[in-house]
Amino acid sequence: MRSPRASLLAPGICAVLLAWPARAAEVTPLPGVVVTARVESVPAFELPAALDVIDLREDNRARADLAEALGGVPGLLARERQNRAQDTQLSIRGFGARATFGVRGVRLYADGIPATLPDGQGQLSHFALAAAERVEVMRGPFSALYGNSSGGVVQVWSADGGGETELALRGVAARYGLRNASASLRGSAAGTGYHLALARLDGDGYRAHSAARRTWGNLKLHRDLPGGGRLDLVANRFDAPDAQDPLGLDAAQLRANPRQAAAPAWQYDTRKSVRQAQAGLAWRQPLGAATTPRASVYAGQRAVEQFLAVPVAAQANPLNGGGVVDLDGGHGGGDVRATWQDGEGRFELTAGLAHERQRQHRRGFENFRGDEPGVRGARRRDQHDTVRASDGYLQAWWKFAPAWALQLGARHSTVRFRSQDHYVTAANPDDSGRVEYRQTTPVAGLVFAPHADLRLYLAAGRGFETPTLNELAYRADGGAGLALDLAPAVSRNLELGGKWRGAGGARLEAALFRADTDDELAVAANTGGRSASHNVGRARRQGAELAAQLPLAPGWSLQLAATWLDARFRDGFCTGPCAPATRVAPGTRIPGVPRRQAWARLQWQGQRWEAAAEAQGLGEVTVDDRGSARAPGHGLLHLELARRWELGGDGHLRGFARLDNALDRAHVGSVIVNEGNGRYYEPGLGRSLLLGLEWRH
């Protein structure tokens, strides 16, 4: 694994920021406009889209994973796998549910820097929650304006520095050896606001063979410029060496002992190491009252080494790529756009261009030497992969009557994949190849305001999702070369929704939605740590969402979120050579997608004490395309208690406790879709007490 090079960008850009003349930075509250919407002059309440903002500034969780904070977003499913060698499973309205590792079908951003690469694959693990202030989530048709694999959008935003210097120290300890410590320093120097955050997580893991260590560092600098402009620098680094992978369990193993690791995990010492660094620079400068240009550039480096449980016998095939994956690659890009406003708050137009490049050196090795398994052996794969994505986009919002507004947009995307094979033998031919995908994704939305506190809207659009490099890497028929026959999945999306807001912060939102997809991408085979994909025809995802925030009495509040989602294949297909046992009938449920999920949080906030009860319920999910096996649904209860002590001056101390899965319910936390050995199930956490202490000054 090579040392990330993106971090070398940070010192030079920092020097530019610190040298730039500007007025003193100030602390800014959470904005009323959701940045994810990319409509600068209009509050989220006025837009024809489902948008949520989650405040992360004070919480009672471990801050070990973003999934902890996303339970209250309807239509979104974030499943904690209790396996830190693999990333959180994230899906929005059923998009992304097929992912067996990483995130697909959903666009991810950290402080405006893409965490989804040009090929459509993203990661959540490097998000520095110690620095995070809020999470923004967009669902529905307007997500398509973000380009490839935008079935939804999730953005994490760090807090700004500025004003008085603030130091925060936080420590958390929980059952199963979980320890998480973080430090955050915010303030301003020479007119530049800064926010530096560091965090370290160690854990033995709920299951055997699942110990992990993660380290994060995040730096955010901002400088206000004359005339209302602003310059931002964000740089972060993530390191996770040798995170153990316990693999999934089959049904019998799950019943016998959910905390065990599968036997191949011990045999091959399955594990994964990740190092990542990236930096980004963003600039905006109003030109008068009407026009605001923006520009951003970013670059990053990611190195991954993963030891898989590929049997030695399978590697006798000369076309097999081995049981050790070694990836080393960089990515970067830029976005330039300009926004024009009419000055009366009735019209806004944005036009922009974006370009991204991803390069990846993929090598494969045998996971044995002689009779010794779980070590790097002979080389079996060596290739350089490149992805380039070039996009142009246009978006307009127009309030054409007192009670009516229209939002329109379109994005044209070109995504080019190229692979150069450097491992060519008499039994393994040259697997080089290239493929190009083009797609235009128009969207439109209409908003009606029958009352000052009520909005009704209708939105429609088209989205698309290309296969990722990992999905192109393995052919479903087991042959050599890339799966260049894969086509992008194209979806037609429709949403009807309403938003209401009342006194005291009360709000109610509801939406009906449908997404019809052609050339649906699905898992064709998933065995030995390798996942191959194929196009399976038409699919449909339709459902309803409801979210509410209700103040009940002084100090008391209730939050609710509920989702009904029916996701099915509309065409029949075969999961292998066609036979009755491999046939998937039309109307079969898409695996990994629950039909029902619900979440509720009752909270009491006193002057010094606070308490909360949080409940979540999840329906059963199928685990393979044929629907031959299922993970049962479950309901969980979590309890919280916290107290605050003022220490004089501006300092305070906050202690908190959280009891996760208070009733100690056995449940399946996540599933590995179409796992070829029948090890579909990843058990969820048992009863666990978390204790934490946070000091701020």
Side-chain angles (χ1 to χ4, degrees), residues 406-584:
L406 180 67
Q407 187 175 353
L408 300 170
R411 187 176 184 120
H412 180 75
S413 302
T414 301
V415 187
R416 299 180 178 92
F417 292 80
R418 182 185 180 188
S419 180
Q420 296 175 291
D421 188 4
H422 304 294
Y423 180 74
V424 180
T425 69
N428 190 327
D430 188 346
D431 299 332
S432 301
R434 63 180 66 195
V435 65
E436 179 179 300
Y437 304 109
R438 293 177 180 269
Q439 192 65 230
T440 299
T441 53
V443 292
L446 185 66
V447 181
F448 173 53
H451 185 273
D453 294 321
L454 178 63
R455 300 293 182 270
L456 305 175
Y457 67 89
L458 177 66
R462 182 167 62 195
F464 81 109
E465 178 183 1
T466 69
T468 67
L469 276 175
N470 282 336
E471 291 165 335
L472 289 169
Y474 307 110
R475 287 170 42 176
D477 61 6
L482 302 182
L484 298 179
D485 59 331
L486 290 177
V490 179
S491 300
R492 299 173 301 281
N493 304 287
L494 186 66
E495 179 177 349
L496 175 65
K499 308 175 185 182
W500 171 83
R501 60 189 177 188
R507 67 175 182 89
L508 180 65
E509 298 183 7
L512 301 173
F513 60 88
R514 172 180 285 184
D516 287 312
T517 302
D518 296 327
D519 292 320
E520 174 78 16
L521 286 161
V523 177
N526 185 11
T527 184
R530 303 189 180 282
S531 179
S533 300
H534 59 165
N535 295 106
V536 298
R538 297 177 301 162
R540 172 172 288 172
R541 299 166 176 85
Q542 59 184 352
E545 298 169 352
L546 177 67
Q549 181 170 315
L550 306 172
L552 302 177
W556 288 88
S557 64
L558 177 65
Q559 293 176 266
L560 301 170
T563 306
W564 174 79
L565 175 58
D566 186 44
R568 298 182 182 273
F569 299 113
R570 299 185 67 195
D571 291 331
F573 60 94
C574 293
T575 59
C578 276
T582 64
R583 183 72 181 171
V584 177

Side-chain angles (χ1 to χ4, degrees), residues 79 254 618-623 629-634 668 670-671 681:
R79 308 192 71 164
L254 181 70
L618 194 69
E620 67 173 16
V621 299
T622 57
V623 297
R630 301 171 183 238
H634 60 265
V668 175
S670 63
V671 297
Y681 308 104

Side-chain angles (χ1 to χ4, degrees), residues 686-697:
R687 182 189 291 126
S688 174
L689 177 64
L690 176 147
L691 299 175
L693 196 62
E694 184 176 46
W695 174 75
R696 289 182 179 272
H697 182 74

